[in-house]
Amino acid sequence: MGVRRVARGIGEFLVELLGEFVAEVVLSLLACALLACLALTAYLSWSFSPPLTIAGAGLLSLFLAHGAWRTFRDPAKGRRRRGLAAATTAGFTLTATTAGFLLFYATDCGCL
């Protein structure tokens, strides 16, 4: 009876260990692919038109700065985020989440 329980526990541990290993590999590959796509987009944009790339980066920076400002600022009483404020807040949140994901998983990427 005790041997079966130990064998089952070891089997469950090995399955869980293998599952975590596979999940880490998949997340690392996803992070490397995302990083490669971002680098390719920047390269193609720069090769197409450097002034438009700089203008686009400036507009994206303003968009994200407004989103950060609206995220960390206390809203006025009785008012919720609408229109541009909601879009910039969502964009900032998505960008911050993506940056955190890349920080944790793309650091192990061998492509850097």
Side-chain angles (χ1 to χ4, degrees), residues 10 30 83 98-99 104:
I10 291 173
L30 183 64
T98 303
F104 287 121

Side-chain angles (χ1 to χ4, degrees), residues 17-29 105:
L17 184 68
L18 182 65
E20 287 182 10
F21 177 74
V22 168
E24 283 288 326
V25 168
V26 167
L27 287 173
S28 293
L29 287 174
Y105 288 104

Side-chain angles (χ1 to χ4, degrees), residues 62-72 81 85 87-93:
L62 286 174
F63 180 82
L64 293 176
H66 185 263
W69 179 64
R70 295 297 290 187
T71 298
F72 296 116
R81 292 184 177 97
T88 58
T89 301
F92 171 73
T93 304

